[in-house]
Amino acid sequence: MTRDLKFFQAINEATDLCLARDPSVYLMGLHVPADPKGVFGTVLGLSKKYGPERVMDMPTSENGMTGVAIGSALVGMRPIMVHQRIEFALLAVEQIINQAANWHYMFGGQAAMPLVIRMIIGRGWGQGPQHSQSLQALFAHVPGLKVVMPATPHDAKGLLIAAVEDNNPVIYLEHRWLHNVFGPVPEGRYTVPIGKARTARKGMDVTIVATSYMVLESLRAADLLARDGIEAEVVDVRSLRPLDKVQIFESIRKTGRLVVVDGAWRSLGFAAEVLALAAEQIYGILKAPPARVTFPDLPSPSTPALAQHFYPRAVHVVNGVRTMMGLPEVTEEQLGIQHETPLDVPDKAFTGPF
């Protein structure tokens, strides 16, 4: 049976199922049992249900506790570590990149590393460059790590269960503007394969490859483009590493045009990687130079005044496509877009279902 759940409820349900199904699974993170809001609601009730031995707080010692998680994974446990901001995980980069990512390789495939690290990304509420960055490219760059970025409640649940059951370290990135998005989620256990993209919207004229929250902005852009007779196909990559190049290339072969929309910096990022792959492997079928819609190469701003010029929205995706097709750019006013809330808080129009 399928019902509508919010994104945070889907994460909570997936964690609950994994804890109930496998006694080797445990949950750990700073304030995980004590946060009255339950880390955006994602861990509410789990401490009471499973107790402090399986749902535990940790000291402000990210590097050391990641080492504990790695050590427990090596002896058969399946830890889920939670960082309420991706920036907190930077204190544990040595453990993640130098140890967890390499262990399977260093021991000739004889050692598994079933570790999941949830990291919350994204902007909002005036939080500045130390609490609102999106560093997916940093982790996706490293061989040995898998990196997933769900955009729907269905995928939030299925990808988390797949990550917990995977024998490799998985970085699970969730944008905090997605937590209140709702959509259909099946009951019980199911998985979404890591490394498999999803066609979120079919089209024939241009392929928009998007990540995480930018999938929602891209879907709005596709609806706006359709008013002018431009049918955009939106590909939700869901997994940055491994990347589903087959599905991305199939879409580009159909449309002949490529725009990559990533909520992160422009240079040396995920969008740059997809453009490079297209240039290397299917250059001859492109009808126009590919394009990127990303953050500018500047630190993430704190003020709403700067934020509205920093974070790309649907209008920027629309103009990325229109420029590619030789059409003049348009404004949000011309598109009829009105913002009921400040641009530094989630748009109420993006609640779902998707």
Side-chain angles (χ1 to χ4, degrees):
M1 180 177 177
T2 297
R3 60 265 123 90
D4 281 345
L5 290 182
K6 290 190 174 182
F7 193 91
F8 78 86
Q9 294 172 316
I11 292 175
N12 184 286
E13 187 167 278
T15 310
D16 190 0
L17 284 168
C18 290
L19 287 164
R21 189 167 182 263
D22 185 348
S24 69
V25 176
Y26 72 95
L27 182 64
M28 174 171 64
L30 192 62
H31 301 326
V32 160
D35 181 4
K37 295 183 179 179
V39 189
F40 298 93
T42 61
V43 300
L44 283 174
L46 299 177
S47 176
K48 184 177 181 180
K49 186 173 183 178
Y50 294 99
E53 292 185 353
R54 299 190 64 198
V55 179
M56 59 187 73
D57 208 339
M58 72 180 202
T60 310
S61 180
E62 287 80 0
N63 193 38
M65 296 309 294
T66 303
V68 170
I70 290 171
S72 69
L74 288 173
V75 296
M77 303 296 288
R78 291 185 177 272
I80 305 172
M81 176 171 272
V82 182
H83 293 293
Q84 298 200 34
R85 298 288 185 275
I86 194 171
E87 289 83 359
F88 301 165
L90 297 181
L91 295 162
V93 161
E94 194 281 333
Q95 292 287 349
I96 297 170
I97 292 178
N98 216 19
Q99 306 301 333
N102 288 324
W103 213 275
H104 182 79
Y105 172 79
M106 289 191 301
F107 289 89
Q110 298 182 51
M113 182 58 69
L115 166 66
V116 177
I117 304 181
R118 282 181 48 203
M119 303 179 186
I120 296 173
I121 63 172
R123 57 171 164 152
W125 302 287
Q127 298 199 347
Q130 295 172 316
H131 294 85
S132 61
Q133 298 172 100
S134 298
L135 303 171
Q136 52 264 33
L138 171 66
F139 295 100
H141 179 68
V142 180
L145 295 180
K146 296 184 178 182
V147 179
V148 299
M149 300 184 76
T152 66
H154 176 278
D155 291 347
K157 178 179 175 179
L159 277 172
L160 183 54
I161 295 174
V164 172
E165 296 179 356
D166 201 291
N167 283 331
N168 301 281
V170 181
I171 306 298
Y172 181 98
L173 300 175
E174 56 199 69
H175 195 293
R176 54 184 166 160
W177 279 25
L178 292 172
H179 280 130
N180 283 308
V181 168
F182 72 94
V185 178
E187 291 183 341
R189 178 195 170 278
Y190 69 91
T191 61
V192 171
I194 296 174
K196 180 62 180 173
R198 172 181 74 99
T199 301
R201 188 186 195 282
K202 291 187 177 180
M204 294 296 294
D205 298 318
V206 59
T207 296
I208 300 175
V209 176
T211 61
S212 186
Y213 168 74
M214 295 311 295
V215 173
L216 273 57
E217 295 281 3
S218 298
L219 288 171
R220 173 185 267 190
D223 289 341
L224 295 168
L225 288 164
R227 295 180 191 172
D228 294 325
I230 301 170
E231 292 297 332
E233 181 151 298
V234 178
V235 178
D236 173 6
V237 293
R238 300 196 293 194
S239 170
L240 272 62
R241 192 180 187 112
L243 180 65
D244 188 354
K245 292 187 292 184
V246 172
Q247 185 159 343
I248 292 172
F249 289 170
E250 282 181 358
S251 178
I252 299 170
R253 287 190 177 95
K254 182 170 63 173
T255 67
R257 299 181 179 89
L258 169 64
V259 175
V260 185
V261 183
D262 185 33
W265 291 307
R266 182 180 185 84
S267 297
L268 306 169
F270 173 74
E273 172 66 15
V274 176
L275 263 60
L277 289 170
E280 286 175 345
Q281 299 184 32
I282 55 171
Y283 179 79
I285 69 164
L286 292 173
K287 299 174 183 175
R292 289 172 281 179
V293 177
T294 64
F295 299 170
D297 288 326
L298 296 167
S300 303
S302 300
T303 70
L306 291 176
Q308 68 177 341
H309 297 291
F310 182 83
Y311 295 102
R313 305 185 294 278
V315 64
H316 303 104
V317 182
V318 167
N319 283 328
V321 172
R322 289 179 65 88
T323 300
M324 177 177 289
M325 293 187 163
L327 300 172
E329 292 192 356
V330 292
T331 64
E332 287 190 319
E333 185 177 23
Q334 289 173 309
L335 291 172
I337 297 177
Q338 295 182 342
H339 296 283
E340 298 180 357
T341 55
L343 290 174
D344 202 34
V345 299
D347 190 330
K348 293 181 179 178
F350 291 151
T351 56
F354 294 96

